[in-house]
Amino acid sequence: MGLNDSSPGAMRNGRGLSDQWAESVVVRPRTTERHITVHKRLVLGFALSILTLIIVTAVAVVLSVRFEECGAPDREGATGESGSRGSGGSAKLNGSKGERTGERGDDEAVQPWRNSRLPGSLRPRHYDLRLAVYMDNFTFSGEVSIELECVNATRFIVLHADRLEGGAGGRPVNRPGGGAMRVHRHFSFPANQMYVVVLHRELKPMRVYRLNVSFDAAIEDELLGFFRSSYTLQRERRYLAVTQFSPIHARKAFPCFDEPIYKATFSLTLRHDPQYTSLSNMPVESSSLSDEDGWVTDRFARTPRMSTYYLAWAVCNFTYRETQTDSGVTIRLYARPDAIASGAGDYALHITKRLLGFYQDYFKVQYSLPKLDLLAVPKHPYAAMENWGLSVFVEQKILLDAEVSSSSYQMELTMVVVHEICHQWFGDLVTPVWWEDVWLKEGFAHFFEYVGTDFLFPKWNMEKQRFLTDVLHEVMLLDGLSSSHPISQEVEQATDIDRVFDWIAYKKGAALIRMLANVMGQPLFQKGLNDYLLSHMYSNAARDDLWSKLSQAMRSEGRDINIGEMMDRWTLQMGYPVVTISKNQSEQLPTHYITVSQEHFLYTQEVRSNNSLQWQVPLTVAVGNTSAVCLESLIWINNKTETHRVGQMGDNTWLLGNINQTGYFRVNYDLQNWKLLIQQLHTNPQIISVGNRAGLIDDAFNLARDNWLQKLHTVCFLAEACFNDICATFIRKKTEERNRKQGNTNKHPQNIDYVLRQVASRYHQMGWPTNGPGSESNVLQASYQTEELQRELIMLACSFGNKQCHRQAVAYISDWISSNKNRIPPNIRDIVYCTGVSLMDEDVWEFIWMKFHSSNAVSEKKILLEALTCSDNTFLLNRLLNLSLTSDLVPEQDVIDVIIHVGRNPQGRNLAWKYFREKWDVLNARYGEALFMNSKLISGVTEFLNTERELNELKEFIQFGGVGAGPALPRALEIVEGNVRWHRLHRRQFYQWLRKPPGPALG
């Protein structure tokens, strides 16, 4: 991304950062003091709704601008700012309602407010923000005093303020002591969410000024900015208000420089009704009670330097539990009083204490704040948000009821907490310069979900096994599409920011970091991360800053690898290669040479011939035979085709590439090597690790798309050779993928027989769990992987119609209804609920609906709601769809999940697809600004479309109705086109193959 910037420290592509911007500002001593005071009042509007008798006081903003020279900047304010600054390109707009035409001679040809980025002439050093929060009518008023440093002489003050307009005109304003400065004009520019003050005289470089703004605004019901939520306690409705500022919503709550590079310190004061508690990033420094109205004023300690989107506050009447680390950090978990009383937050509190110690030891950098609060809110647009010192979680991702929560739920909760705590370093302490490199924080946090969970529960084997099925295999499906994109994307407009928050950033970022960690080795990887964090703490960094520190760590051990040159191929290009390894077939070379080639892997065969992409591939190779595997070696592949020497090989020696799938690429072999590998797995599979077996299955399955019938036997044999929890997960996911292409294959006898043949013996061998709620056999024990395998087998057996599985599920539901005691083991409740709803009558659906509303356990409510989408009754499915969007009965953040799960139900696919198109405008208006929401919804309702009619409907929707959907629609179109193509070319042959008895692999 080329940045148009004339300010000191400008860089290209958001990379190669230093402290140039900060170091270019040298504050000179002054002998005179200047005061510039500007007052104005902005009135946004008042709307009176007669029908509801509710006055919505939107925003009446009083903007008071006062500039004072504040002395030389201290070293904290003057240094440590790194990164590129720039405008990022023209918005290409024709003006807006709030813009007023300037007079001749204004010298405003540049018009910085028309650029999508702030101009960089001014930078904030400190915000003093004072708020009064009125929970009775959901409004707040505030004043913010921003200490500004002038970098380049300018007459323009440009900052962010969403929906704020003003109008005191160009009146002169007196300041105490005499003297005046005229405001030439001022206006809002809504197209870029900016507010502009044009002065008569320039602000001087290397001087510090102060800007004061007063405002009133509403605490919105939407899920972004400063919004409200509610819950019921003892039949009383209670309210709370909380912030969600990432990525660009701090400007909804106060005027600010709302870009990550503009780090500053914050002092926050909150005034509120005494029945509430206020929270923020830092501890309360002082608290006072007003003699006049009895209200409380809490002043919070000054924060470290941080970006605006990590500022956070909340006003609630929650209670808390707390603990303390050995280093003295206080950790509190705030939640509804009944949840705290039941101990639902204790588990998260316990692992957070352990995780702070783990990250401090791993990164060799101390946690920076004196406290860390975890806030569990009933309504939130995301699983969680890593605000520094005040991380906010939706209740489902942090509250755990040990009596009813499954091991899967507990594992998911654990990983969310691990993710957010990692962000206290990667994100909060060191922040990406700009959103193009958001993967620098999200990829690290996603990778450490598995590393940190392995620290908590080593026997789960998360990084070596679960990472493969949940991260690597998932993202390679997306990244193998021609509609994919590089992990580092250009971002110019605010509307572009949403598209960089996708699974490519999170999961591909995690996979690339894992690959790099394995290439470097853990000691050097940790050394590089330590140097990176220490060099850029309280500041910003871009990808080249990371590559530089990791390269330095490698050179310290005599390994001269240019990490930046290597990783640019992986971050600036889309996709990944398939590496083909062939034993030497030439008489001119001995048998210990192999030929290795790379090619861009794409599922759409038609576009493959046009690709010219190459990668620097760290290929690990091992040579083995029936009894042993030699030590692996690392080969760097830089060209399309290369020849390399490996260990001595004979006719019965096989090659294995990409050991444990640490590399982000697929591996193919010559036909003879495939046969040797399959023979090895058939006779003695333990020679090859579980991770390698999973990699072989996934590569074979995806490479088989070129020739399904040749490779299907290979996949079948490989699956039988490594049947454990990871392979059961693989079979389930590939069955779902096959369903997507073929339609409702669960109803085809051949498909039923095939899947049941794969799982029947292991299903009957493992049986059903016998432990009830409260048993010691839970996720904290080493039995987790066994439980997961058992769960996967039951899920497959029930979904494909195993009679014994159906009888057991129905018996459990019937017992629950008759006794009103739920004896269903927590680990399989979701399977039993879904199976019961799909097989039994409407009364069971009503029973589950009633239990959904009466349950207080958030994990139980989640699976009860999903079970309602399993019905075969289209009337009930339609009813659920309409209730979810038009009533308060379904939590707002769960509406999209309801639509998606209805779409995954073969009986509900058409209903969900039709409902999605009819309600798109409503859904987009409600969730369009929330990251992930639209892309999650679009992929969820379209992934099972596979007919020409549905493909045409999707094309029509894209052409005429999908406004605001972003890049999710082109990706969905490519997937559906692939489904239709497979359906047309392979479906008949596939069912002929299913009818045949199993034969030898590869024919």
Side-chain angles (χ1 to χ4, degrees):
M1 173 176 163
L3 300 180
N4 302 321
D5 185 27
S6 58
S7 62
M11 297 287 173
R12 294 184 59 82
N13 295 325
R15 300 169 48 192
L17 295 184
S18 67
D19 283 346
Q20 293 183 28
W21 184 19
E23 290 170 356
S24 69
V25 180
V26 179
V27 179
R28 296 175 292 196
R30 292 163 303 228
T31 57
T32 60
E33 183 180 21
R34 301 182 181 183
H35 295 276
I36 305 168
T37 306
V38 180
H39 295 283
K40 64 179 189 159
R41 178 170 301 272
L42 304 177
V43 180
L44 284 185
F46 299 93
L48 178 62
S49 175
I50 299 176
L51 293 177
T52 60
L53 298 180
I54 298 176
I55 298 177
V56 179
T57 305
V59 184
V61 179
V62 178
L63 179 59
S64 169
V65 183
R66 182 185 179 200
F67 296 101
E68 297 176 341
E69 294 192 10
C70 303
D74 57 28
R75 292 307 300 163
E76 181 185 19
T79 64
E81 193 79 51
S82 64
S84 61
R85 279 269 12 98
S87 55
S90 172
K92 298 182 180 178
L93 298 174
N94 298 320
S96 65
K97 181 180 179 181
E99 183 183 3
R100 288 161 46 177
T101 304
E103 301 172 5
R104 287 178 177 264
D106 285 348
D107 191 24
E108 296 178 15
V110 177
Q111 295 188 337
W113 53 90
R114 289 188 175 276
N115 293 323
S116 58
R117 300 280 298 276
L118 294 175
S121 299
L122 299 169
R123 50 180 266 193
R125 288 162 35 102
H126 178 70
Y127 293 80
D128 191 354
L129 179 59
R130 299 172 295 281
L131 301 173
V133 180
Y134 308 98
M135 296 297 291
D136 55 343
N137 62 359
F138 303 119
T139 63
F140 68 102
S141 61
E143 296 178 356
V144 62
S145 178
I146 311 174
E147 190 176 292
L148 297 171
E149 186 175 336
C150 184
V151 178
N152 297 316
T154 182
R155 295 172 52 230
F156 308 123
I157 307 156
V158 184
L159 69 162
H160 289 111
D162 190 3
R163 304 173 220 155
L164 301 182
E165 299 181 16
R171 295 177 297 163
V173 179
N174 296 324
R175 65 170 177 84
M181 184 175 188
R182 289 178 59 86
V183 172
H184 177 61
R185 66 190 183 101
H186 57 91
F187 56 88
S188 62
F189 192 69
N192 287 336
Q193 299 177 342
M194 292 179 182
Y195 190 80
V196 184
V197 177
V198 184
L199 303 174
H200 268 280
R201 296 201 301 268
E202 286 187 335
L203 304 178
K204 302 300 182 183
M206 295 172 282
R207 299 294 177 93
V208 177
Y209 303 91
R210 197 179 306 279
L211 167 69
N212 298 310
V213 183
S214 302
F215 53 93
D216 300 288
I219 303 173
E220 302 288 355
D221 194 26
E222 61 186 18
L223 298 178
L224 301 169
F226 186 29
F227 70 95
R228 66 182 184 265
S229 183
S230 66
Y231 63 97
T232 302
L233 182 67
Q234 297 174 347
R235 299 185 179 181
E236 176 191 355
R237 176 72 71 178
R238 295 191 176 188
Y239 291 91
L240 64 143
V242 65
T243 58
Q244 171 56 43
F245 289 162
S246 177
I248 54 170
H249 304 295
R251 64 193 70 175
K252 295 180 187 296
F254 66 105
C256 58
F257 293 75
D258 201 14
E259 291 179 8
I261 193 70
Y262 289 107
K263 285 198 167 184
T265 55
F266 295 81
S267 295
L268 175 67
T269 301
L270 284 175
R271 184 173 179 273
H272 57 85
D273 189 295
Q275 67 175 299
Y276 292 95
T277 298
S278 64
L279 305 170
S280 188
N281 307 78
M282 297 294 286
V284 173
E285 194 172 56
S286 64
S287 185
S288 60
L289 196 65
S290 170
D291 292 333
E292 295 181 4
D293 56 14
W295 274 38
V296 172
T297 299
D298 292 327
R299 181 170 180 80
F300 296 88
R302 185 178 180 130
T303 72
R305 294 180 73 248
M306 64 183 191
S307 301
T308 48
Y309 74 92
Y310 283 130
L311 181 66
W313 64 79
V315 176
C316 59
N317 45 21
F318 285 175
T319 54
Y320 66 88
R321 295 271 181 95
E322 77 170 38
T323 186
Q324 196 169 63
T325 68
D326 294 339
S327 58
V329 177
T330 300
I331 306 170
R332 289 180 175 177
L333 189 143
Y334 287 83
R336 292 178 281 110
D338 53 332
I340 292 296
S342 70
D346 293 354
Y347 173 74
L349 195 63
H350 167 72
I351 63 173
T352 298
K353 177 180 177 178
R354 295 185 61 197
L355 286 168
L356 279 183
F358 164 72
Y359 284 123
Q360 289 180 151
D361 291 343
Y362 192 100
F363 299 138
K364 301 294 187 289
V365 177
Q366 291 295 303
Y367 176 70
S368 299
L369 305 186
K371 64 94 174 176
L372 173 59
D373 292 334
L374 313 176
L375 179 64
V377 299
K379 182 172 70 172
H380 199 266
Y382 315 122
M385 177 60 204
E386 69 273 12
N387 308 308
W388 211 356
L390 178 58
S391 292
V392 181
F393 298 75
V394 70
E395 288 182 336
Q396 293 174 357
K397 302 301 181 183
I398 197 169
L399 298 183
L400 178 75
D401 189 326
E403 294 294 311
V404 300
S405 297
S406 68
S407 59
S408 296
Y409 178 88
Q410 190 163 358
M411 183 194 73
E412 184 179 356
L413 183 154
T414 301
M415 296 175 76
V416 171
V417 175
V418 173
H419 181 110
E420 302 310 323
I421 304 306
C422 178
H423 272 316
Q424 305 295 307
W425 283 263
F426 281 89
D428 298 6
L429 183 64
V430 178
T431 310
V433 171
W434 184 238
W435 301 107
E436 64 183 10
D437 278 332
V438 71
W439 70 273
L440 277 179
K441 72 183 185 76
E442 296 301 347
F444 267 99
H446 204 60
F447 170 62
F448 274 97
E449 284 183 27
Y450 297 83
V451 176
T453 304
D454 271 343
F455 161 75
L456 295 172
F457 305 109
K459 294 183 179 180
W460 289 10
N461 249 341
M462 297 294 290
E463 191 267 324
K464 285 186 169 57
Q465 293 188 17
R466 191 78 186 217
F467 186 93
L468 303 183
T469 56
D470 290 2
V471 180
L472 189 65
H473 299 170
E474 291 273 338
V475 75
M476 291 179 93
L477 283 172
L478 292 176
D479 209 18
L481 300 172
S482 61
S483 58
S484 186
H485 58 79
I487 194 172
S488 291
Q489 301 182 75
E490 290 189 2
V491 177
E492 295 188 357
Q493 310 260 4
T495 53
D496 293 334
I497 293 173
D498 290 0
R499 65 182 169 86
V500 303
F501 284 85
D502 65 2
W503 285 133
I504 297 293
Y506 282 66
K507 295 192 175 187
K508 183 174 181 177
L512 294 183
I513 291 162
R514 177 174 176 263
M515 178 173 71
L516 193 52
N518 279 276
V519 167
M520 296 181 66
Q522 281 300 314
L524 290 182
F525 182 64
Q526 288 181 246
K527 175 179 171 55
L529 295 187
N530 171 255
D531 289 345
Y532 170 76
L533 291 170
L534 288 176
S535 298
H536 300 284
M537 61 196 310
Y538 308 113
S539 187
N540 300 81
R543 53 185 178 271
D544 270 5
D545 296 299
L546 177 63
W547 306 151
S548 174
K549 294 302 179 183
L550 295 178
S551 294
Q552 288 176 25
M554 296 286 277
R555 285 195 294 271
S556 71
E557 294 292 326
R559 297 172 62 187
D560 191 12
I561 297 176
N562 188 327
I563 298 294
E565 183 180 333
M566 167 203 167
M567 293 304 295
D568 277 353
R569 299 288 187 95
W570 297 95
T571 61
L572 303 181
Q573 297 180 152
M574 63 173 278
Y576 55 89
V578 53
V579 175
T580 301
I581 306 174
S582 302
K583 290 183 184 178
N584 173 46
Q585 303 296 324
S586 171
E587 296 180 358
Q588 285 78 29
L589 294 173
T591 56
H592 50 268
Y593 278 84
I594 59 172
T595 300
V596 184
S597 63
Q598 61 166 298
E599 179 186 7
H600 182 198
F601 180 88
L602 284 172
Y603 291 117
T604 307
Q605 196 169 10
E606 290 81 356
V607 300
R608 286 192 190 177
S609 60
N610 299 324
N611 90 84
S612 59
L613 302 181
Q614 288 181 225
W615 291 262
Q616 289 189 14
V617 181
L619 174 65
T620 48
V621 178
V623 178
N625 54 38
T626 55
S627 58
V629 181
C630 74
L631 294 175
E632 66 186 71
S633 57
L634 175 64
I635 300 172
W636 285 96
I637 311 300
N638 299 300
N639 304 302
K640 284 287 188 180
T641 303
E642 299 180 1
T643 301
H644 289 272
R645 179 173 178 167
V646 295
Q648 189 73 31
M649 293 178 293
D651 291 340
N652 294 320
T653 306
W654 44 259
L655 284 162
L656 186 64
N658 196 14
I659 306 303
N660 292 320
Q661 278 202 299
T662 56
Y664 187 70
F665 49 88
R666 300 198 184 282
V667 180
N668 198 3
Y669 306 95
D670 60 72
L671 189 60
Q672 179 60 27
N673 198 71
W674 272 116
K675 289 181 177 179
L676 289 171
L677 285 170
I678 292 167
Q679 183 180 355
Q680 179 68 61
L681 293 171
H682 195 59
T683 56
N684 187 11
Q686 281 69 35
I687 288 292
I688 299 176
S689 70
V690 171
N692 284 321
R693 282 178 262 165
L696 284 168
I697 292 176
D698 191 65
D699 284 345
F701 190 93
N702 285 280
L703 293 167
R705 293 162 184 263
D706 286 340
N707 191 337
W708 277 82
L709 300 184
Q710 181 183 359
K711 297 286 182 64
L712 277 170
H713 282 301
T714 304
V715 177
C716 180
F717 268 69
L718 289 171
E720 290 174 353
C722 72
F723 213 101
N724 52 29
D725 64 309
I726 196 170
C727 292
T729 301
F730 173 87
I731 289 178
R732 174 175 57 79
K733 290 187 175 183
K734 294 311 175 188
T735 299
E736 292 171 356
E737 185 181 345
R738 198 163 58 210
N739 287 351
R740 189 182 74 223
K741 295 181 179 303
Q742 301 161 221
N744 182 17
T745 58
N746 292 21
K747 303 299 183 183
H748 291 278
Q750 297 94 342
N751 201 55
I752 292 172
D753 292 343
Y754 171 78
V755 175
L756 290 181
R757 281 201 309 268
Q758 296 291 312
V759 303
S761 61
R762 293 304 300 271
Y763 162 71
H764 289 296
Q765 177 184 341
M766 298 204 72
W768 286 61
T770 55
N771 58 292
S775 166
E776 292 184 0
S777 178
N778 58 39
V779 74
L780 296 179
Q781 310 304 316
S783 62
Y784 167 73
Q785 291 179 345
T786 302
E787 289 183 353
E788 281 300 286
L789 174 57
Q790 183 181 54
R791 171 185 162 76
E792 293 283 3
L793 291 168
I794 293 172
M795 185 181 300
L796 284 167
C798 276
S799 62
F800 278 86
N802 179 282
K803 300 300 182 185
Q804 191 276 336
C805 191
H806 281 184
R807 284 195 297 272
Q808 183 66 60
V810 169
Y812 268 130
I813 295 288
S814 299
D815 175 69
W816 185 18
I817 293 173
S818 62
S819 67
N820 203 29
K821 292 182 179 179
N822 192 340
R823 300 183 178 94
I824 306 169
N827 206 36
I828 57 168
R829 284 189 177 183
D830 56 339
I831 305 170
V832 172
Y833 293 171
C834 183
T835 304
V837 167
S838 66
L839 294 176
M840 303 170 78
D841 58 23
E842 186 175 338
D843 289 343
V844 173
W845 194 95
E846 296 289 355
F847 176 80
I848 297 293
W849 176 251
M850 177 191 68
K851 290 296 182 182
F852 164 69
H853 287 294
S854 62
S855 176
N856 290 321
V858 290
S859 62
E860 183 76 353
K861 289 180 77 72
K862 175 179 167 57
I863 62 173
L864 286 166
L865 181 60
E866 290 179 1
L868 294 168
T869 69
C870 298
S871 176
D872 284 349
N873 187 321
T874 56
F875 170 79
L876 294 175
L877 294 177
N878 253 327
R879 176 184 168 193
L880 181 61
L881 286 171
N882 288 312
L883 284 172
S884 66
L885 194 60
T886 61
S887 71
D888 295 330
L889 299 175
V890 175
E892 194 165 351
Q893 66 263 16
D894 293 333
V895 171
I896 285 178
D897 286 332
V898 168
I899 299 172
I900 291 173
H901 280 85
V902 170
R904 289 176 179 170
N905 180 343
Q907 303 303 317
R909 188 182 81 184
N910 292 332
L911 295 177
W913 173 226
K914 182 173 182 286
Y915 190 81
F916 163 79
R917 287 174 290 154
E918 290 175 349
K919 302 296 184 182
W920 169 251
D921 290 341
V922 177
L923 291 165
N924 190 46
R926 180 182 292 189
Y927 301 107
E929 285 192 275
L931 305 176
F932 274 118
M933 290 294 196
N934 274 353
S935 59
K936 177 182 177 182
L937 175 61
I938 290 167
S939 62
V941 298
T942 59
E943 63 179 343
F944 290 100
L945 306 181
N946 57 26
T947 67
E948 292 284 356
R949 176 182 61 81
E950 291 167 337
L951 176 59
N952 290 331
E953 289 172 347
L954 177 57
K955 289 178 178 178
E956 182 180 354
F957 176 74
I958 292 173
Q959 183 177 0
F960 299 109
V963 178
L969 280 176
R971 183 166 58 242
L973 179 62
E974 184 177 357
I975 291 173
V976 175
E977 286 175 337
N979 294 346
V980 172
R981 184 169 54 252
W982 193 97
H983 203 266
R984 182 178 65 251
L985 297 176
H986 299 297
R987 187 169 181 269
R988 180 176 298 178
Q989 291 175 297
F990 179 74
Y991 282 114
Q992 289 174 353
W993 178 84
L994 281 176
R995 293 188 188 101
K996 294 179 181 179
L1002 293 175

